[in-house]
Amino acid sequence: MLASFDVIVVGGGLSGLMAGLTAAGRGHSVAVLDRNAGVGGKYCYTSMGAAALTNTGMDLSRFHGRDARFVSDALREFDAPALRGWFDGHGVQLADADYYGLVCPPSGGEAVSALVEALESSGAELRTECNVTSIEPGSDGFRIEAGESLTARSVILATGGSNLPQLGGGEDGYRLAGALGHHCEPAHAAHVGVTVGESWPTTLAGLWMDVELNLSVAGKPLKDAGTTGSMLFTRAGLTGEAVFNISRQVEPNLGRGVELQVNFHPGMEFDDVAQWLHRVFGERTREPSDRAIDFILPASLGGVFLAHQKVKPGARVMQLHERQRQGLLKEMTDTRLTVTGTLGMRAAESCTGGVQLRQVDPRTFRSKLVPGLYVVGRLLDISADWGGFEQHFSLASGRAAGLSVLQ
Ligand SMILES: Cc1cc2nc3c(=O)[nH]c(=O)nc-3n(C[C@H](O)[C@H](O)[C@H](O)COP(=O)(O)OP(=O)(O)OC[C@H]3O[C@@H](n4cnc5c(N)ncnc54)[C@H](O)[C@@H]3O)c2cc1C
């Protein structure tokens, strides 16, 4: 006999767990299936020491893509206070981290455990190592192949994005949604480091700086591709929060002359930086320029810029030519780097692309093409800044689908 459920949720990441426990809480028989041995999906791997679930700067402007307003209903219905309240009510207190606006549980594991406990006490079944290979719609529901055959009146697709294939990501969600008639926008790596053609940045590996970044293509600034935040130089490329936030625009534009403009003095007017340089150099005319520049830039970066301006090692400030001072000022505020790519899907913390938004209702996450089908979380064609925004949307969309399924 086939195992039958009212609702089958495919994927046990944040969106799938929240969808499953919400639907089961409304009295439906629910199974959440995940192909991995553990649940929690990509959230289990969130980095920089903090597993953010939302952000103090939560706002629509932090979402990007073809229709960023798509997220607004779900986020209004399950806003930051409601999200904090849900975790608080399940014994996990979220706290504001003192960086990047992150709002985090004491550990990601505690947040996932709270979701799993809530799922289990709602009566839903959680099946791991259960890889869904096909979903066939029928006259009164769906037949799901996952090693065994299952049936459900409704299916919630929550398979996440195609980044990190080595950790459970991949094209499965796109393939399953595509076989059901949905169109998926192509995926590109996001929240990922970028590579540049110049070799000097690799010599600064380990240096963190606050910067303003802007991407341009063939000399024209790209829309929605400017940001201010931290950047880390590594041997493989540039990474860090600010780089993550512009990275989603790199792959779609490769081959068209992608350039990264870096301002190493974010938040300062050009004239103020010029005056600062003038004053620092004016007070240190007899000092070696590589020591004087240390008052304006980290010494390692200052040394690179002095070398670019062909300043001889040990040359005193008063020996600098006006052309060299202007060259330094330009590099401090307007360094241009040739972007050659990203560190790829295996390194990307998120991705763009996914199920086309106009095929899904933004209030209920019900498919407009397939009766009884719902699509939630990162499988949808939305993208957001780094810092907990996608996690919040994943939970909010899962909840909205769980509330409306079989209504
Ligand atoms: C290191 C890291 C840091 C991140 N940092 C941020 C951040 O700061 N800000 C931000 O907004 N986002 C960030 N993200 C992204 C964010 O975590 C995800 O967008 C979000 O958790 C997606 O949740 P989801 O439930 O939609 O999908 P996922 O978490 O991807 O879950 C999908 C689940 O579906 C399962 N699955 C897939 N296919 C099948 C199948 N065929 N059968 C059964 N199960 C299947 C997978 O095993 C997985 O468990 C980060 C991600 C990582 C990895």
Side-chain angles (χ1 to χ4, degrees), residues 15 34-35 42 45 132 172 349 378 386-388 390-391:
S15 62
D34 200 292
R35 68 176 171 200
K42 307 269 169 53
Y45 305 99
V132 174
D172 268 25
E349 297 191 357
R378 185 64 278 288
W386 182 89
E390 286 183 8
Q391 283 94 327

Side-chain angles (χ1 to χ4, degrees), residues 9-17 33-48 50 52 63 102 127 129-134 146 158-164 167-173 175-176 191 244 347-351 376-380 382 384-395 397:
V9 183
V10 185
L14 293 182
S15 62
L17 292 173
L33 317 180
D34 200 292
R35 68 176 171 200
N36 282 349
V39 287
K42 307 269 169 53
Y43 176 69
C44 294
Y45 305 99
T46 50
S47 61
M48 300 206 209
F63 288 82
L102 306 184
R127 298 190 181 189
E129 298 184 271
C130 191
N131 185 31
V132 174
T133 51
S134 79
T159 50
S162 54
N163 57 310
L164 296 176
L167 300 176
E171 298 288 329
D172 268 25
R175 193 177 44 72
L176 293 169
H191 297 183
F244 281 5
E349 297 191 357
S350 189
C351 64
V376 296
R378 185 64 278 288
L379 177 59
L380 288 158
I382 58 112
D385 284 343
W386 182 89
F389 300 96
E390 286 183 8
Q391 283 94 327
H392 189 150
F393 173 70
S394 295
L395 290 164
S397 59

Side-chain angles (χ1 to χ4, degrees), residues 27-110:
H28 300 305
S29 63
V30 175
V32 176
L33 317 180
D34 200 292
R35 68 176 171 200
N36 282 349
V39 287
K42 307 269 169 53
Y43 176 69
C44 294
Y45 305 99
T46 50
S47 61
M48 300 206 209
L53 287 169
T54 184
N55 193 288
T56 53
M58 176 55 77
D59 148 339
L60 272 195
S61 68
R62 310 302 295 267
F63 288 82
H64 312 280
R66 288 163 191 86
D67 182 9
R69 288 163 310 163
F70 182 88
V71 303
S72 60
D73 286 325
L75 292 178
R76 193 172 48 245
E77 291 300 318
F78 194 59
D79 59 8
L83 186 147
R84 284 177 189 261
W86 190 92
F87 281 97
D88 203 21
H90 290 81
V92 180
Q93 282 193 346
L94 306 191
D96 297 357
D98 52 10
Y99 47 95
Y100 306 131
L102 306 184
V103 179
C104 306
S107 73
E110 284 182 49

Side-chain angles (χ1 to χ4, degrees), residues 303-334:
V304 167
F305 288 170
L306 287 168
H308 288 171
Q309 297 308 316
K310 302 198 171 21
V311 175
K312 292 206 179 87
R316 292 176 194 277
V317 168
M318 61 197 204
Q319 293 173 297
L320 291 186
H321 198 277
E322 181 56 22
R323 180 176 28 82
Q324 292 171 311
R325 292 175 183 237
Q326 290 305 321
L328 287 174
L329 190 55
K330 165 104 170 65
E331 293 206 79
M332 285 160 59
T333 54
D334 185 14

